[in-house]
Amino acid sequence: MFAADEECGVMAQNRSTAVMQRRAEPHDSLDDFPTPPWATRALCEWLKARGEDLEQFTCREPAANRGHMVAPLREYFASVEASDVHDYGAGFPVRDYLFGPQERVHYTITNPPFRLAEQFIDAAAKSSEFGFAMLVRSAFLESVGRFQRLFSKNPPSHILQFTERVVIHKGCLAPEGSTATAYAWLVWLGDRDDCDTTFEWIAPCRKQLERAGDYPSGDDCQDHTADAIGLIESGRAAQTPAGSRRSLVVERKGL
C-alpha cells in the first residue's frame, strides 16, 4: 500500500484534432482520449529495464476505454484486469473505479480522466502492491493546490517525461496529427527508500515500439472498436524486437 508520508513535503493555437495543451472537458464528459499503444510499451520497457519481471505480475487498467492500453499491457503482464465506467463496446466490465473498495493487484497502470486523476492516484495507492503509474499531461505537475493535496504528501518516485510528443485524439486512435500537449508517466514504486522524486526522460522510441496492428484501419478512425478487440485477443503475439530491451532512459536528475 502506498500510504501518504507527511515527511515528504518537499504559442499560437494548434488547431489539430489532437489534444491541445489546455484540455478542457465538461464536468460530465467521459474523457474519451485513447492512448497510443507505443506510449504504454515505453513504460513497460522502462519497468523491465529496472529488472521488474512483469510476466509474473498482475495489472489493472481501470479506465480501459476501447482497449488500446490493455492490449500492450497484456504483452508484458501475466494478466490484466480491465474495466471502464462506460461501455465502449470492447467487452470490458462496466465499473466505477472510484466506487467501493478494490481488490489488490500488483500494478495499476492507466490514463486517468484528467479531472479525476488525483482520485485515481489515491485509489491506486490503496490497491496496488508493487506500484502504479498514471499517464498525465506534464502540466499536471503544476498547481499549488495539487502540490498541497498530493505531491507534498505522496510524491511519485519517478517522473518519466516523453521527449517525443504523444499524439492523443479525442474519441479516436490514429497515428497522424500533432499536438501542443506534452505527456509524462508518473510512477509510484513500492521499493523506494526515501521521499525523493527522480526525473527521467524517455528517449525517442515511437518507431521502435509501434506495431503494424496498433491503429484502426480506415482514414476516418471511426470504426475502431473491432480493431481494438482483435488487438487485445492477439495478446502476446506482438513481441519486442531483439535488441530493443535496452533502457529508454537517457538521463536522470533527482528533484
Side-chain angles (χ1 to χ4, degrees):
M1 183 177 293
F2 293 76
D5 189 337
E6 296 294 343
E7 297 181 357
C8 289
V10 97
M11 113 189 11
Q13 186 180 21
N14 184 335
R15 297 185 181 276
S16 163
T17 56
V19 183
M20 295 186 293
Q21 181 67 27
R22 180 175 177 82
R23 188 169 107 185
E25 286 293 296
H27 180 73
D28 59 351
S29 169
L30 290 173
D31 210 83
D32 182 7
F33 295 93
T35 305
W38 72 268
T40 302
R41 293 189 185 104
L43 171 68
C44 293
E45 289 294 322
W46 179 84
L47 288 169
K48 288 178 60 178
R50 286 178 49 86
E52 302 291 341
D53 189 7
L54 302 184
E55 293 183 354
Q56 305 298 319
F57 300 140
T58 58
C59 180
R60 174 178 289 133
E61 215 292 47
N65 195 271
R66 298 172 183 84
H68 296 296
M69 183 177 287
V70 177
L73 287 175
R74 286 182 173 169
E75 297 169 11
Y76 292 87
F77 285 88
S79 65
V80 178
E81 172 194 307
S83 63
D84 202 292
V85 72
H86 176 72
D87 183 3
Y88 287 94
F92 301 130
V94 176
R95 185 179 302 146
D96 188 340
Y97 181 55
L98 302 180
F99 182 78
Q102 300 287 335
E103 293 184 3
R104 292 180 65 77
V105 292
H106 293 131
Y107 287 91
T108 299
I109 297 174
T110 192
N111 176 356
F114 182 77
R115 64 184 177 84
L116 297 176
E118 291 181 53
Q119 292 94 316
F120 266 61
I121 290 169
D122 182 63
K126 295 174 180 176
S127 59
S128 306
E129 185 172 350
F130 297 152
F132 62 97
M134 302 281 159
L135 181 67
V136 299
R137 295 184 302 142
S138 299
F140 183 79
L141 295 169
E142 301 173 343
S143 166
V144 172
R146 190 170 295 119
F147 171 77
Q148 294 173 339
R149 293 188 303 269
L150 174 62
F151 296 130
S152 66
K153 300 175 181 179
N154 189 22
S157 57
H158 298 80
I159 299 171
L160 309 180
Q161 175 64 53
F162 281 96
T163 55
E164 297 172 285
R165 286 298 169 95
V166 180
V167 180
I168 297 182
H169 301 268
K170 181 176 181 178
C172 174
L173 183 72
E176 301 84 8
S178 60
T179 179
T181 306
Y183 284 89
W185 282 105
L186 303 189
V187 183
W188 285 258
L189 294 179
D191 61 357
R192 65 191 302 176
D193 54 7
D194 54 38
C195 295
D196 292 337
T197 297
T198 299
F199 186 100
E200 305 182 31
W201 285 267
I202 297 178
C205 59
R206 175 176 175 174
K207 291 182 178 179
Q208 175 185 342
L209 296 178
E210 279 188 324
R211 306 288 181 264
D214 281 350
Y215 299 98
S217 58
D219 295 334
D220 58 2
C221 194
Q222 295 300 313
D223 186 16
H224 46 62
T225 298
D227 298 78
I229 295 174
L231 185 57
I232 293 167
E233 292 176 346
S234 67
R236 303 178 188 278
Q239 298 295 322
T240 304
S244 67
R245 295 187 177 182
R246 63 180 178 81
S247 173
L248 300 175
V249 177
V250 295
E251 187 174 353
R252 63 179 62 190
K253 178 181 179 182
L255 294 181

